[in-house]
Amino acid sequence: MSATRIHSKPKSWLWGTLTSIRLTVFLLLILAAVAVIGTVVPQNQPPNQYFSRFGEVWGELLWRGGFTRVYFSPWFLGPISLLAANILACVIHGLPQAVKRTLQPLTVSAALTLPERGRIIWPAGIDPQPLIAATLKRELGHCRQETLPDQEIYLLERGRCRPVGPYLIHVALLLILAGGLIGKFGGVDGQLAIDQGEVAGAFQVAPRVEKPLNFQVRLDKFQVSYYEPGGSPKEFRSDLTFMQDGREVSRATCRVNEPVSFGGLTFYQSSYGAQATGPVRLQVQKGGLNQTVEVAYRRPVDLAGGEGKVWLMQVDGNHQGYGPAVLIASQAGADHPMAFWIFQNLPGLAKSPYHPGLVKQPGVYSFTVESIPFGYYSVFQVKHDPGVGWVYAGFLLLLPGLYLAFFRPVERWALVLAKTPQGTWQGRLLGASPRHREEFAARQERLLTELKRGTQS
Amino acid sequence: MISQVLGAVMLIYLLVAILFLMAELWSSARLQGLGRIVLWLGLGLHTGALTGRWWKSYHLALGHSPTAALAGKLQIMIIQAPLSNFYESLIFFSWCLPALGLLAFRRYFKGYLGAMVALLSTLLLAYASFGVDSQIKPLMPALKSNWLLIHVVTAFLGYAAFALAFGTAILYLFQERRPRPSLPPLPLLDSLIYRTTVLGFLMLTLGIATGAVWAETAWGRYWSWDPKETWSLITWFIYAALLHARHLKGWHGRRIAWLAVLGFMAVLFTYLGVSFLLTGLHSYLT
C-alpha cells in the first residue's frame, strides 16, 4: 500500500515484506475470500443448524473450524491484523517523504529540468509580460515570478499536497480499524427487554449474564402503528422514563432511527412483542352449542364434544394493524395441529373470502375472542462504544485523502522568458503532469494558443 | 402516467443507442449530434419522471402524517426520495448511467461508448418495467432517516460509475482483440476506465461510510457483517486492488480492464445476488 517508489537504503527482509504491495494484494484477496465464506455460511447460528444444512462432516468442519463466526476467527482477524501492520508500515515508510515533498515549493532549478512543451517568439518591440501574466493567471491561477539576471521565470504548481493524499486515506483506514478495536474492548453492548410499566435496573450482555445499570429505566408505554390495517408498520415507539434512586430524571421517546442516550449508554429500539398477562378467553361454537374456554400457553384445553383441543401460541397487541389478536393451535384427534389467528375486533374475518390462509379456522368449531389480557414488551439494543468517534474521524479523513489522491492532479509549469540576441522576447513553456496526461495536453494547447495570439499583433 | 413516461424513456435510450451506432457506421457527425440531443431529451424526461414519483410519494406520506410546519414538510420531502425499494433503485440506477456518463466521458459520449451507456440504461429500465413491483408504498420505520437519500444516492452513483468502467473495459477488450478504427483508441479507453473507476471508488467509499453512520443511528452498530455490507466491502477490496495495481505496479490496459470486469461482477452480486440469494438487513427488495 505504500505509495512511494523511492528505493532508499536496503532494509531488513521483514520490513521489506511489511511494506510490500504484494503483501497488500495477497491480504486483500484472502480477506475477500474469507468474507465470501462469511456470506455463504450463515453466521452465529446454533450448531444443529449447520449439521442439518451442510451434513455431519461439513457441519462439523465449519463449526470446529470457526467458520460459523468467521469474522471473529483467526481466519479473518489474522489477515486483517496483518493488513493493519502492512498499512502502518507503509505510512511510516512513506509519509515523511510525502510531507517533505509537499512542503518543498517548486524551485527555479527544479523547474528548469521540466520537459519543454513549446516555444513562442514575440516580434520586436512587443513586451509580452502583461499578456503572459494575464494568460497564466486566467488559466492556472496565481503564479510566482522570479527574476534572474537575463531571464524572467513564471512558476506555477498545482496539487503539491497530492502525495499526502494516499497516506491520509491509509491513516483513515487505521483510525477505522482502531475504532473497531476500541469498541470491541472498551465498549459495552447488550440487550434490554422491559415489559410495559416495568422498571429495569440491569441489561443483558451475554446469554444469562446481566450488567447492572447505574440508573433505572421504565417503559411507560409501547406503541406500534400501521399505515393502514393489513399494511406495513409505520412506527415502533417506546416512551421511556429514566430514574436515579427512584426519582424521575428525564423522559424520552425512542424510535427506530431515533436512539435515546442516558447515563453514557445509548438505547436503540430493536424489537417488541406482546404476551398474555392472564388467560385468554375464547368463544367456541359448534352447531347450536356455545362454550367459553380459557386458553394458556402450551396447555391444551379439550373442547366440548371432544372433537379437538386448543392452546395458545402467541398474543399480539396489534396484529398487522388489525388490533389485538391471538394465534391459536388446534388439534383434532391424531391430526397435525393447525395454527390460525383470531382477531378480537374482526370476528367475521375468518369467513371473509379475502383473507384465506392464516385466519382460516380448521375443523368443525368456530372461534371468536372474548378477551385478550396482554401487555407489550419492548427490546432495546443498549450500548456504549468509545470507538465510534475514531471510526467517524476515519470517515471524515477519507474525504480529503480521496480528493487529494485522485482529484487533485499534480501539475508543474514554468514559463522562461528571455531576451534573444536580436532584442526580441522568447518564451519557453516547460511543464509536466505525470498522471493526468490528457488534461495536461489540453491545457498545454490552450496555453500555447493564447500566448501565441500575442505574437500576431 | 409516470410508468408510461419511463416506458417512453426506455425507448428513447434505445433510439439513442441506435443513432450512435448508425452515426459510427456512416461516420456522420450529424447523427452523432442528433443522438446527443435525443439523449438529453431522454435524460430530461427521466429526471421529470423521478421528480414526479418523488412528488407523488411525498404527498402520499403527507396524507399519512399531515403536518403544516415547513420543517416537517421538508423532513418528509427528504425521506420520501424515490429510493426506497428495488423498482426505484433500478430507475435511479438507469438515470445515473447517462448522467454520470456525460460527466465522465464528456465529448467522448458518442459512438460505441455512447451506445453502450444508452443500452445499459435501456436494459435496466426494461427490467424495471417487466418483472418488478412499481407501487409506491409507505416507508417502513427503519428507512425513515435523512441518511436514506445520501446513502442510496452515493451507492448508486458508485454502481453506475463501475458499470461505465465495465462497459468501457468490454469495449477495450474487443478493441484489443480485433482492432477497429471506428472504436475509440485503446489509450483513451484505458484512461476512461481509470477515470470512471476512481469516481466509482469515491462514491462506493462514501456509500459505505454513510451506510455505516446510518446503521449506527438505526441499530447501534456501524458494521454488522450483513451480507450486503460484506459484499460491498469485497467490491471495495477489488477496486482498491485495481487502483493499487495501476498506481504502484503500473498496470494498464488489458489487466486493468479484466479487473474492472471482475469488480463489476462483484457490484452486480452486491446489488442483486445478495438481495435474491442471501438474506439480511437490506432485504427491502421484495
Side-chain angles (χ1 to χ4, degrees):
Chain A
M1 287 224 172
S2 149
T4 176
R5 282 186 214 149
I6 295 150
H7 297 285
S8 48
K9 59 180 181 280
K11 296 265 170 71
S12 72
W13 170 86
L14 180 67
W15 186 250
T17 310
L18 264 183
T19 53
S20 84
I21 176 74
R22 262 173 215 219
L23 178 66
T24 315
V25 171
F26 176 72
L27 290 172
L28 286 178
L29 285 177
I30 298 264
L31 285 170
V34 174
V36 170
I37 295 176
T39 58
V40 174
V41 177
Q43 298 289 296
N44 299 320
Q45 306 287 317
N48 52 349
Q49 286 265 336
Y50 298 102
F51 293 127
S52 61
R53 188 166 171 169
F54 296 98
E56 282 292 319
V57 180
W58 280 100
E60 179 86 15
L61 203 71
L62 292 173
W63 179 258
R64 296 228 173 263
F67 292 104
T68 58
R69 281 173 56 80
V70 80
Y71 306 110
F72 308 95
S73 76
W75 300 111
F76 192 82
L77 295 179
I80 197 96
S81 319
L82 267 180
L83 185 68
N86 178 223
I87 296 174
L88 185 64
C90 289
V91 169
I92 293 171
H93 184 67
L95 184 60
Q97 195 79 34
V99 171
K100 214 164 116 191
R101 254 193 289 171
T102 296
L103 294 178
Q104 250 167 19
L106 180 62
T107 58
V108 170
S109 56
L112 289 177
T113 62
L114 291 169
E116 184 173 320
R117 304 291 176 180
R119 261 170 210 251
I120 313 111
I121 297 170
W122 283 275
I126 287 186
D127 178 13
Q129 296 208 42
L131 171 79
I132 292 173
T135 306
L136 291 184
K137 188 159 191 215
R138 190 170 55 241
E139 190 61 44
L140 297 166
H142 182 71
C143 285
R144 214 146 42 85
Q145 193 173 352
E146 304 256 342
T147 310
L148 296 188
D150 48 351
Q151 292 177 327
E152 282 291 323
I153 302 181
Y154 298 84
L155 296 169
L156 184 123
E157 59 180 328
R158 304 182 129 203
R160 181 148 44 104
C161 298
R162 200 220 79 98
V164 185
Y167 294 100
L168 291 185
I169 298 175
H170 291 100
V171 170
L173 296 179
L174 288 176
L175 281 176
I176 292 168
L177 288 175
L181 273 184
I182 291 169
K184 183 93 190 139
F185 293 105
V188 272
D189 188 0
Q191 288 214 318
L192 172 68
I194 327 178
D195 292 332
Q196 187 168 298
E198 295 294 305
V199 175
F203 65 108
Q204 210 178 29
V205 288
R208 288 183 289 280
V209 182
E210 289 217 321
K211 192 178 158 71
L213 297 164
N214 48 15
F215 53 88
Q216 297 88 45
V217 53
R218 188 177 65 213
L219 175 64
D220 296 321
K221 193 168 190 189
F222 175 83
Q223 288 162 279
V224 50
S225 58
Y226 288 78
Y227 285 104
E228 59 196 334
S232 48
K234 183 180 180 187
E235 183 181 74
F236 309 113
R237 165 187 175 143
S238 298
D239 294 327
L240 296 172
T241 299
F242 293 97
M243 297 179 296
Q244 207 105 48
D245 312 317
R247 200 165 39 80
E248 273 188 27
V249 182
S250 79
R251 283 166 182 251
T253 300
C254 184
R255 297 182 180 92
V256 180
N257 276 313
E258 288 173 36
V260 166
S261 291
F262 187 84
L265 289 172
T266 310
F267 295 75
Y268 302 82
Q269 179 71 52
S270 141
S271 72
Y272 76 99
Q275 51 193 358
T277 50
V280 170
R281 293 165 72 90
L282 302 178
Q283 289 271 0
V284 188
Q285 257 186 337
K286 185 197 161 199
L289 224 65
N290 251 340
Q291 183 196 5
T292 302
V293 292
E294 291 194 343
V295 288
Y297 294 112
R298 288 182 294 277
R299 240 179 264 147
V301 181
D302 283 314
L303 296 174
E307 284 178 62
K309 50 192 171 186
V310 290
W311 63 97
L312 177 63
M313 289 181 72
Q314 200 184 328
V315 170
D316 194 338
N318 188 4
H319 190 64
Q320 295 183 354
Y322 289 110
V326 285
L327 183 64
I328 296 292
S330 90
Q331 190 175 25
D335 290 352
H336 266 294
M338 308 278 276
F340 55 93
W341 284 96
I342 315 174
F343 291 86
Q344 186 168 21
N345 306 335
L346 297 164
L349 198 63
K351 294 187 184 71
S352 112
Y354 303 108
H355 297 276
L358 276 179
V359 293
K360 191 174 185 299
Q361 300 186 355
V364 292
Y365 297 98
S366 82
F367 300 86
T368 46
V369 178
E370 198 179 293
S371 67
I372 310 178
F374 75 90
Y376 275 117
Y377 63 91
S378 185
V379 185
F380 303 90
Q381 184 80 22
V382 182
K383 68 163 229 171
H384 165 67
D385 187 344
V388 169
W390 290 69
V391 173
Y392 286 7
F395 287 163
L396 286 180
L397 193 61
L398 277 174
L399 296 176
L402 286 167
Y403 170 70
L404 285 179
F406 296 117
F407 298 92
R408 190 82 186 127
V410 179
E411 270 182 69
R412 294 197 165 88
W413 292 98
L415 191 96
V416 184
L417 196 61
K419 270 254 158 96
T420 57
Q422 292 80 35
T424 58
W425 287 101
Q426 176 193 274
R428 284 194 305 137
L429 184 65
L430 315 174
S433 174
R435 284 209 176 107
H436 290 78
R437 295 198 188 90
E438 206 188 320
E439 287 88 342
F440 181 82
R443 200 196 293 285
Q444 175 189 327
E445 205 179 299
R446 281 202 302 276
L447 273 175
L448 286 175
T449 327
E450 285 291 312
L451 290 173
K452 276 180 183 158
R453 190 166 289 164
T455 60
Q456 288 146 12
S457 56
Chain B
M1 168 68 183
I2 292 173
S3 52
Q4 273 90 333
V5 172
L6 285 169
V9 172
M10 179 177 80
L11 293 177
I12 290 175
Y13 287 154
L14 188 63
L15 178 66
V16 171
I18 294 170
L19 283 173
F20 277 148
L21 284 179
M22 289 196 332
E24 205 55 69
L25 289 175
W26 298 333
S27 9
S28 153
R30 195 175 286 180
L31 276 178
Q32 295 282 21
L34 185 64
R36 191 88 175 205
I37 290 169
V38 177
L39 174 79
W40 275 106
L41 176 75
L43 194 59
L45 272 180
H46 201 160
T47 313
L50 273 174
T51 320
R53 198 173 163 100
W54 196 336
W55 189 245
K56 219 169 139 186
S57 59
Y58 163 72
H59 276 283
L60 233 86
L62 209 59
H64 285 300
S65 28
T67 171
L70 187 67
K73 283 185 171 172
L74 202 66
Q75 171 75 50
I76 293 179
M77 184 82 87
I78 290 171
I79 63 171
Q80 288 298 331
L83 303 166
S84 62
N85 58 31
F86 185 43
Y87 177 80
E88 292 176 336
S89 76
L90 279 170
I91 301 300
F92 183 62
F93 194 172
S94 60
W95 180 87
C96 289
L97 283 172
L100 213 59
L102 283 168
L103 193 79
F105 294 163
R106 286 174 216 161
R107 67 199 152 97
Y108 305 116
F109 197 118
K110 57 177 188 175
Y112 288 98
L113 261 182
M116 177 269 295
V117 180
L119 270 183
L120 281 177
S121 215
T122 310
L123 281 178
L124 285 173
L125 281 173
Y127 184 19
S129 71
F130 292 127
V132 183
D133 182 8
S134 68
Q135 260 191 321
I136 298 181
K137 291 203 180 107
L139 283 179
M140 60 168 90
L143 293 180
K144 283 188 190 171
S145 164
N146 293 340
W147 290 100
L148 173 73
L149 182 66
I150 182 84
H151 171 60
V152 179
V153 165
T154 49
F156 277 93
L157 283 176
Y159 286 2
F162 290 139
L164 296 179
F166 163 77
T168 316
I170 295 290
L171 283 187
Y172 184 98
L173 294 170
F174 261 108
Q175 170 77 317
E176 199 193 31
R177 180 165 284 203
R178 227 184 266 159
R180 281 162 199 246
S182 56
L183 272 170
L186 287 178
L188 173 65
L189 289 174
D190 183 61
S191 89
L192 290 180
I193 295 174
Y194 173 71
R195 197 186 283 176
T196 44
T197 302
V198 163
L199 207 58
F201 191 70
L202 171 75
M203 287 299 159
L204 180 65
T205 311
L206 289 178
I208 293 175
T210 51
V213 176
W214 183 10
E216 178 69 22
T217 54
W219 302 301
R221 283 214 184 105
Y222 53 83
W223 195 262
S224 335
W225 295 111
D226 156 71
K228 192 103 165 179
E229 290 173 358
T230 311
W231 269 94
S232 69
L233 187 69
I234 294 169
T235 308
W236 195 85
F237 282 164
I238 292 174
Y239 285 106
L242 184 156
L243 292 174
H244 283 97
R246 189 176 175 106
H247 276 270
L248 299 175
K249 289 279 147 186
W251 280 26
H252 276 79
R254 191 193 315 149
R255 290 196 281 189
I256 290 291
W258 277 116
L259 274 177
V261 171
L262 175 72
F264 190 63
M265 295 298 116
V267 167
L268 279 185
F269 197 81
T270 309
Y271 181 33
L272 302 173
V274 169
S275 308
F276 293 123
L277 304 176
L278 311 166
T279 54
L281 300 170
H282 278 84
S283 314
Y284 307 123
L285 293 197
T286 43

